[in-house]
Amino acid sequence: MINIRQAPLGAGKGWITQSFKLFRERKLFWYSYIIFMILSGLILSALNGTILIVGQAIGAIFFGYLGIGMLVALKKQLAGQAPQFEDVMEPFTKKGKELLPILCFLAIIQIIMSVSTANLNPEAFNPEDPLSNIGFSLLSILISTTVGMFTIYSIPNVYFYEVGILDSLTSSFKICLRNLLPLTVYYLMLVPVCILSAITIVGIFIILPIVFISSLIMYFEFTGDGLLVGTKTDQ
């Protein structure tokens, strides 16, 4: 059972500071992973450019496994142990079959949304009717956000809590819905930080791992493995 926690409104500050601490402890590991992820993305992008939908599906499934691997490594570091590259590869072997159905399902959803966006008719935007254009844009944002809320935590829900696809999707939506305000505050906090870091290349290399690690920490904060003080748990 997934115990959904409500994080404090200002929890984002704790996620960022804790991420910086974890990053400093294992700089080499996190940099190595990010480089591996970027190289994998470049290879899969080339594949996607040649065989299109098949390449996109392979990429979605691959990065789904890889994301879970990073949560496994992060959980190990939070327990005071040194994360290893083997931890990142664990989901590819351990419980790999259990993850495949949800990963395939999400890959299909991603392809459908990608094709729908690509086939969007430019004539649907009428320069003489800005209000309808705004309404159309808001509807698109609402749909993509809702789909994201259902899917963003569905894979770790399956891996760590062994729930079915439907339960994993609904639990993901509940997690996002209950923590909508803390997430909003967190992303607003990141805006000036990212702008300042973009001024120098060095800043990007520091901020990128912190943003990445903090996005992983959120999951453990929102579920039964909450890391921070002050969370409220569903009964």
Side-chain angles (χ1 to χ4, degrees):
M1 180 180 176
I2 304 173
N3 293 318
I4 300 175
R5 295 172 178 260
Q6 181 180 352
L9 186 62
K13 180 180 178 182
W15 301 335
I16 294 173
T17 54
Q18 189 171 22
S19 299
F20 185 66
K21 177 177 179 292
L22 294 170
F23 168 67
R24 284 192 305 171
E25 290 176 355
R26 303 291 174 183
K27 290 190 187 74
L28 182 60
F29 171 79
W30 290 106
Y31 274 138
S32 299
Y33 168 74
I34 290 173
I35 292 172
F36 174 75
M37 184 176 64
I38 293 173
L39 292 177
S40 300
L42 291 174
I43 294 172
L44 289 170
S45 295
L47 186 63
N48 187 30
T50 55
I51 55 178
L52 298 178
I53 291 179
V54 176
Q56 189 173 354
I58 293 174
I61 293 172
F62 175 79
F63 281 108
Y65 278 114
L66 204 59
I68 294 299
M70 288 316 303
L71 281 170
V72 172
L74 176 63
K75 196 169 186 177
K76 188 173 180 179
Q77 186 177 359
L78 290 168
Q81 304 175 42
Q84 304 293 332
F85 194 71
E86 290 78 7
D87 300 318
V88 178
M89 295 293 105
E90 180 184 294
F92 288 91
T93 54
K94 183 181 178 182
K95 296 185 181 179
K97 292 182 179 179
E98 286 82 352
L99 283 178
L100 197 55
I102 183 67
L103 289 173
C104 290
F105 175 79
L106 295 182
I108 293 171
I109 296 297
Q110 180 177 325
I111 291 170
I112 292 174
M113 294 191 68
S114 177
V115 171
S116 300
T117 303
N119 293 332
L120 186 64
N121 186 359
E123 296 180 358
F125 295 92
N126 184 359
E128 297 180 359
D129 189 2
L131 288 179
S132 65
N133 295 338
I134 293 173
F136 184 82
S137 299
L138 290 175
L139 179 61
S140 300
I141 293 172
L142 178 62
I143 293 173
S144 59
T145 301
T146 303
V147 171
M149 290 172 69
F150 274 106
T151 58
I152 187 170
Y153 297 120
S154 59
I155 304 173
N157 286 345
V158 172
Y159 189 83
F160 290 108
Y161 295 97
E162 300 180 349
V163 297
I165 292 179
L166 183 59
D167 286 340
S168 70
L169 293 169
T170 54
S171 294
S172 176
F173 183 80
K174 290 176 182 178
I175 289 171
C176 293
L177 189 62
R178 187 163 193 195
N179 290 281
L180 201 56
L181 288 178
L183 283 169
T184 302
V185 172
Y186 164 75
Y187 287 117
L188 289 175
M189 289 172 61
L190 284 183
V191 172
V193 173
C194 291
I195 292 175
L196 290 174
S197 67
I199 297 175
T200 63
I201 297 178
V202 176
I204 295 176
F205 280 101
I206 296 175
I207 290 299
L208 184 60
I210 293 174
V211 172
F212 179 75
I213 297 170
S214 62
S215 67
L216 296 175
I217 286 178
M218 288 180 196
Y219 180 71
F220 295 122
E221 170 71 9
F222 295 153
T223 61
D225 293 311
L227 304 172
L228 302 180
V229 178
T231 53
K232 299 177 183 178
T233 309
D234 280 341
Q235 298 299 323

